[in-house]
Amino acid sequence: MKNIFILFIIILSSCMNSSYNKETTNEITEEYTSSIEESLECKFENLSPIELIKQDSNEIESIKKMLYTQQECWNNGDIYGFMEGYWNSEELIFTSAEHMPAYGWQNTLERYKNSYPTKESMGEFKFDIYNVKLTSKRTAILNGKWELTRINDNPKGEFWLDIEKFDNNWLIVKDSTTSLN
């Protein structure tokens, strides 16, 4: 609003007779220009780099599709299919509050197989996504909540994922999961 008012003054002063001299008009113009520059600097300084990345809805849908495919595999008792959503690399990181971090795809697979040895122990997996943000054309972050429905219990929690695009596939490169029970 201040910038509009200053612009109004500049326009008004240019229309006025000699009561406003050129020096006064220049001072107002310099103040206005400085004000705009400060305003723009302030706006861009307060933006995180993520807010400057174009949020491509097709890419976000591809990420969600990968997660829904994982959910389907899990609910069919297919841990190997579920693991296809993870980066098959020794640099994969899986952390949870209950265990030491697992480094690498194979160690993460073993953790899942030991924690969920049967389809019954896997239960029915559901999740809700709170937020997905592209952090570049090839990386994203995501957080949400998860829940397992089993005969004897109903564990649930939250998760934070770092996701990266390899060729045309979005894969989880870091999974941080907590339990709320």
Side-chain angles (χ1 to χ4, degrees):
M1 191 67 165
K2 177 182 173 187
N3 293 338
I4 293 171
F5 179 73
I6 293 171
L7 181 60
F8 174 76
I9 291 173
I10 292 170
I11 293 169
L12 182 62
S13 68
S14 68
C15 298
M16 295 179 75
N17 58 23
S18 63
S19 64
Y20 255 76
N21 64 29
K22 189 171 185 161
E23 188 176 291
T24 305
T25 304
N26 285 342
E27 287 174 12
I28 293 172
T29 302
E30 286 174 17
E31 181 182 328
Y32 172 71
T33 303
S34 175
S35 177
I36 287 177
E37 289 171 354
E38 288 174 13
S39 177
L40 287 174
E41 281 178 17
C42 182
K43 292 207 184 308
F44 285 112
E45 283 177 8
N46 292 331
L47 288 177
S48 72
I50 294 170
E51 292 170 334
L52 298 175
I53 303 296
K54 180 179 182 278
Q55 298 302 302
D56 184 332
S57 61
N58 292 327
E59 296 296 346
I60 290 172
E61 285 306 312
S62 293
I63 291 168
K64 290 178 180 180
K65 182 178 179 195
M66 176 269 295
L67 293 171
Y68 290 126
T69 299
Q70 277 192 302
Q71 179 184 34
E72 183 179 338
C73 290
W74 184 274
N75 291 337
N76 288 327
D78 180 6
I79 288 183
Y80 289 97
F82 176 80
M83 287 296 297
E84 288 181 18
Y86 286 95
W87 182 31
N88 193 341
S89 167
E90 290 308 304
E91 293 181 46
L92 170 69
I93 301 170
F94 181 88
T95 63
S96 70
E98 293 78 33
H99 301 283
M100 294 294 294
Y103 297 98
W105 188 90
Q106 189 63 43
N107 289 334
T108 302
L109 171 64
E110 293 304 317
R111 164 93 46 87
Y112 275 122
K113 286 170 53 177
N114 290 331
S115 297
Y116 305 97
T118 65
K119 186 174 182 330
E120 292 74 30
S121 65
M122 292 173 75
E124 181 184 346
F125 176 54
K126 294 185 279 189
F127 65 87
D128 290 316
I129 296 171
Y130 295 145
N131 199 7
V132 182
K133 289 282 184 192
L134 297 175
T135 55
S136 76
K137 289 182 179 183
R138 306 199 61 77
T139 59
I141 54 175
L142 180 146
N143 68 306
K145 69 178 183 177
W146 62 272
E147 180 177 357
L148 289 181
T149 303
R150 302 189 290 202
I151 294 172
N152 296 325
D153 62 355
N154 190 11
K156 56 184 95 176
E158 295 181 326
F159 61 94
W160 295 263
L161 305 176
D162 291 355
I163 304 169
E164 194 167 329
K165 191 172 188 180
F166 297 92
D167 298 319
N168 288 319
N169 300 312
W170 286 98
L171 299 172
I172 300 164
V173 297
K174 182 178 181 187
D175 182 337
S176 301
T177 299
T178 62
S179 294
L180 298 177
N181 296 351

